[in-house]
Amino acid sequence: MSTTPSSPAPTADARSDAGERGADEGALGWLRALGPRGRRAFAGAFGGYALDSYDYFTLPLSMVALAAYFHLDSGQTGLFTTVTLVVSAVGGAVAGVVADRVGRVKALMITVVTYAVFTVACGFAPSYETLLVFRALQGLGFGGEWAVGAILVAEYASARHRGRTLGAIQSSWAVGWALAAVVYTLVFSFLGDDLAWRVMFWTGALPALLVIWMRRRVHDAPEATAQREQSAQKGSFAAIFRPGRDGQPGLLRTTVFAGLLSTGVQGGYYTLATWVPTYLKSERGLSVVGTGSYLTFLISGAFLGYLTGGHLTDRLGRRRNIWLFALLSAICILAYANIPSGANTLLLVLGFPLGFCMSAIFSGFGSYLSELYPTAVRGTGQGFTYNAGRAVGAAFPTLVGFLADSWGVGGALVFGAIGYGIAALALLGLPETRGKELR
């Protein structure tokens, strides 16, 4: 018989801690670490952003048909995107305030319902002017969904995994984009263009199903909610524009530079998202099916870019990740826009790294903007800076539209590279926040 003393049995707390550490490891450790409530919040935000993307891309994919139906020039079609993005700045800023005042989940449901209703309304538009108004109103919901959903999940995620968790949320944009491309290919293959563009918008009713599920199953993070409710400054625009005084840091500098960062990244991104389908169809002469095939490479690259960028933002830090992909995105735009005529195989292949780089830069946004602001004004700060950048960046697609008639769409696309240069410079005024706890 052994006389060696037996080790004491581990306590319940020790077993719990060991279990949490084990769950925190592995490829999907970030997802397990969210816990049941956090995973439901993740599913709600993921679905909301995917359908946000789907509703957004119904317009760019239908652009050629719309231009023919309403007899529009390139400047007028580019205005659709600009109006959507400018109004989305208002919607996003308001949604951020609402999220700080009534909660993340309630604000998220409001944004999803708004963009779904007005996307469907676009399908009934009898004129260019009416469609422009409906698209602008769609922007109210479109602008708020990402910021609110990102904050909801960020407040559940651990500092260690927040980058890859929010990167996975960002990847849902590619999922919605891919769904829109598949529906576009089917609808425009079987219906005439005059009806097909309307059907594309009518399919934007899908988000209503998500809202019904979210109402019962998704809840705000308890700790962040308690802190938000105790603060007297919640939902305050004044707070995010307050300069530092008497040795106390303010948020004015953060808001200015975060807005510039968002302007640069989104100016580059929406230039490509808006005009690449038109470029492939009008200047490269691709059919509907051919355009869908080329977009498959672009979207596949985007999906992997979101996931990869999420991991890198945790490993390299928020600023280094954005710097890296700002440079690579600018290089890819210049290469993509200058592929010689007839080299469509090269166009196909280059679509993958283009989608990868312009999406990987977004992966750190959800975690970075959330970490730059305190809990009481996190919705307001993130909602304002992200969507103010969206509004100013909206000038890029319109500029491309007006230049396309003389420069060609491919030549005008190079202006997207300027946006990434602005983003790189904006980082000089912002701190690194990797490892920051959100409480």
Side-chain angles (χ1 to χ4, degrees):
M1 174 182 284
S2 172
T3 58
T4 305
S6 60
S7 300
T11 65
D13 286 344
R15 288 194 300 269
S16 176
D17 290 344
E20 287 179 4
R21 283 195 298 272
D24 212 24
E25 303 298 333
L28 293 177
W30 60 269
L31 184 60
R32 291 191 294 270
L34 287 172
R37 289 171 62 119
R39 286 193 289 272
R40 288 196 296 271
F42 176 89
F46 188 97
Y49 198 45
L51 292 169
D52 195 14
S53 170
Y54 178 88
D55 278 16
Y56 173 79
F57 279 106
T58 54
L59 176 65
L61 290 168
S62 304
M63 197 87 87
V64 173
L66 285 171
Y69 186 86
F70 290 115
H71 308 291
L72 309 176
D73 59 31
S74 296
Q76 289 174 305
T77 53
L79 191 59
F80 279 127
T81 298
T82 297
V83 166
T84 303
L85 299 182
V86 168
V87 176
S88 76
V90 178
V94 171
V97 173
V98 172
D100 283 337
R101 290 181 177 270
V102 306
R104 313 325 190 188
V105 174
K106 289 180 181 178
L108 185 60
M109 290 191 293
I110 291 169
T111 63
V112 172
V113 168
T114 301
Y115 73 65
V117 167
F118 288 109
T119 297
V120 173
C122 286
F124 294 98
S127 66
Y128 169 70
E129 292 76 15
T130 306
L131 181 57
L132 201 62
V133 171
F134 285 154
R135 192 63 183 178
L137 293 173
Q138 187 263 1
L140 290 174
F142 170 70
E145 195 286 333
W146 178 83
V148 177
I151 294 167
L152 171 65
V153 177
E155 291 177 342
Y156 273 107
S158 66
R160 178 184 176 190
H161 292 314
R162 190 173 298 119
R164 70 198 72 183
T165 303
L166 272 295
I169 291 289
Q170 292 278 176
S171 73
S172 67
W173 182 265
V175 174
W177 189 3
L179 179 61
V182 170
V183 174
Y184 158 80
T185 301
L186 294 172
V187 170
F188 276 82
S189 295
F190 291 101
L191 299 176
D193 284 8
D194 289 353
L195 176 60
W197 69 265
R198 293 187 184 276
V199 173
M200 280 294 294
F201 284 119
W202 292 337
T203 61
L206 290 171
L209 300 175
L210 175 68
V211 171
I212 295 171
W213 176 79
M214 287 176 56
R215 185 178 179 186
R216 297 185 177 184
R217 302 288 292 166
V218 182
H219 306 281
D220 290 356
E223 291 183 20
T225 299
Q227 184 168 334
R228 174 177 56 79
E229 291 177 346
Q230 292 169 6
S231 174
Q233 287 188 332
K234 57 187 176 184
S236 169
F237 280 118
I240 67 171
F241 285 103
R242 184 173 295 125
R245 292 194 186 114
D246 302 324
Q248 295 297 317
L251 291 171
L252 176 61
R253 177 188 176 92
T254 296
T255 299
V256 169
F257 281 99
L260 282 174
L261 173 66
S262 183
T263 295
V265 171
Q266 296 192 82
Y269 181 87
Y270 284 110
T271 294
L272 294 168
T274 301
W275 286 105
V276 163
T278 300
Y279 171 63
L280 293 174
K281 199 167 183 181
S282 63
E283 294 197 10
R284 291 291 175 170
L286 299 180
S287 65
V288 169
V289 175
T291 299
S293 298
Y294 277 67
L295 288 177
T296 297
F297 272 74
L298 190 67
I299 295 168
S300 297
F303 181 75
L304 292 176
Y306 285 128
L307 296 179
T308 303
H311 281 272
L312 289 179
T313 199
D314 281 334
R315 289 181 176 274
L316 302 178
R318 304 342 182 190
R319 297 168 82 239
R320 287 181 180 176
N321 184 69
I322 294 173
W323 259 322
L324 172 64
F325 287 107
L327 174 62
L328 294 178
S329 295
I331 292 172
C332 284
I333 289 177
L334 295 174
Y336 196 79
N338 289 283
I339 293 174
S341 179
N344 283 353
T345 300
L346 181 58
L347 189 75
L348 178 71
V349 172
L350 195 58
F352 186 90
L354 176 67
F356 183 94
C357 293
M358 74 184 203
S359 299
I361 194 172
F362 269 107
S363 293
F365 260 52
S367 52
Y368 196 30
L369 294 181
S370 294
E371 292 160 355
L372 286 171
Y373 289 94
T375 302
V377 292
R378 185 167 295 129
T380 305
Q382 184 155 338
F384 177 83
T385 55
Y386 188 82
N387 288 287
R390 201 181 242 170
V392 179
F396 285 70
T398 299
L399 180 61
V400 170
F402 282 111
L403 291 175
D405 291 332
S406 55
W407 291 25
V409 176
L413 281 176
V414 299
F415 276 85
I418 296 174
Y420 291 113
I422 294 172
L425 291 174
L427 287 170
L428 298 175
L430 295 170
E432 176 58 57
T433 59
R434 180 177 56 170
K436 183 177 180 180
E437 294 289 348
L438 300 186
R439 293 290 185 268

